[in-house]
């Protein structure tokens, strides 16, 4: 049976937007109170990097405010986020694409 060659065109080059619900509770388990909100930001960045395949991940200010809304200790258990893989406008940048992470507000 002949081997199938991998296609040259990667889907990572596409500009795409997806929504996810990220469970921060399990990612922050065992983290001390004073480190919870900063760690939540790092975990969201790590999640976005893994899902979108871009090293450059930018967090929207409204998402940052939503994480910190209940203080450093009271990070929400789950958050709905929108990941958008976009083209980098900066020509001299190393990365061709970046990921913008925004908060999706869910009405209660």
């Amino acid at each position: 049976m002949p081997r199938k060659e991998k296609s040259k065109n990667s889907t990572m080059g596409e500009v795409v937007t997806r929504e996810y619900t990220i469970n921060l509770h399990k990612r922050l388990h065992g983290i001390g109170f004073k480190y919870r909100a900063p760690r939540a930001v790092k975990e969201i960045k790590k999640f976005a990097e893994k899902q979108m395949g871009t090293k450059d991940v930018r967090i929207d200010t409204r998402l940052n405010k939503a994480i910190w809304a209940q203080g450093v200790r009271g990070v929400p258990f789950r958050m709905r986020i929108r990941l958008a893989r976009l083209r980098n406008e900066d020509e001299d940048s190393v990365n061709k694409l970046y990921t913008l992470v925004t908060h999706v507000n869910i009405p209660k």
Side-chain angles (χ1 to χ4, degrees):
M1 184 181 286
R3 258 190 215 172
K4 291 180 183 173
E5 290 186 32
K6 291 185 179 176
S7 62
K8 298 281 187 243
N9 53 353
S10 173
T11 57
M12 285 298 158
E14 292 178 11
V15 174
V16 69
T17 302
R18 294 191 199 116
E19 280 192 15
Y20 294 94
T21 300
I22 183 168
N23 186 349
L24 293 170
H25 193 236
K26 73 175 184 183
R27 288 172 170 85
L28 298 176
H29 178 72
I31 306 301
F33 280 149
K34 295 296 179 192
Y35 305 98
R36 286 176 82 87
R39 175 64 74 91
V41 173
K42 287 181 191 124
E43 290 293 334
I44 289 172
K45 278 190 172 188
K46 192 166 83 172
F47 176 81
E49 192 176 313
K50 184 179 176 193
Q51 294 298 321
M52 289 299 192
T54 61
K55 285 284 178 203
D56 189 4
V57 177
R58 301 172 192 179
I59 292 202
D60 187 47
T61 52
R62 274 170 275 162
L63 174 61
N64 193 46
K65 279 202 170 66
I67 294 167
W68 284 86
Q70 298 164 15
V72 70
R73 296 164 48 159
V75 179
F77 284 0
R78 284 184 183 81
M79 292 195 93
R80 191 80 178 153
I81 58 172
R82 182 176 289 128
L83 303 182
R85 190 187 307 134
L86 303 166
R87 298 212 187 285
N88 210 339
E89 299 297 320
D90 195 17
E91 282 89 28
D92 54 325
S93 175
V94 179
N95 305 314
K96 297 260 185 281
L97 299 167
Y98 71 94
T99 302
L100 179 66
V101 188
T102 53
H103 183 244
V104 178
N105 200 7
I106 302 165
K108 293 179 181 171

